Amino acid sequence: MPSPAGIGVSQPRALDIVLASLEDSKAENIVPIDIQGKSSLGDHMVIASGRSHRHVAAVADHLLKALKDAGFGNARVEGLAGADWVLIDSGDVIVHIFRPEVREFYNLEKMWQAPDLEEETLH
């Protein structure tokens, strides 16, 4: 089944496009996280920072254009107006672009990079 934002384009290519766009936009502290098997939201999550509201918005705009130009269609976007934390959902790759202080507060990397518990573990 094709992703909601794209039309059957392979997910490793989507991740490559996301990472290249973030690098090209001078996003900082880019962290890709493999969430396959951890969540049904997507296969990869990428977390990055912008230096200011304006930089976060510019990085997000650049990424949205790169995804559209690569044939992934229009990704879903939240938070672009405020540009403290922009969420871009391209289907298989979910991107969070934060201002540094907001990123530090929510610390998504710690939550998503936690080791998986064994299936036999009782809660």
Side-chain angles (χ1 to χ4, degrees), residues 2-50:
S3 66
I7 306 182
V9 184
S10 70
Q11 143 262 317
R13 182 167 162 252
L15 181 61
D16 291 343
I17 290 166
V18 166
L19 294 174
S21 175
L22 293 173
E23 286 285 338
D24 199 40
S25 298
K26 306 290 190 251
E28 299 176 346
N29 198 11
I30 302 166
V31 178
I33 302 170
D34 184 349
I35 60 171
Q36 293 179 54
K38 291 182 180 182
S39 173
S40 60
L41 297 174
D43 293 333
H44 298 277
M45 181 178 293
V46 179
I47 302 172
S49 295

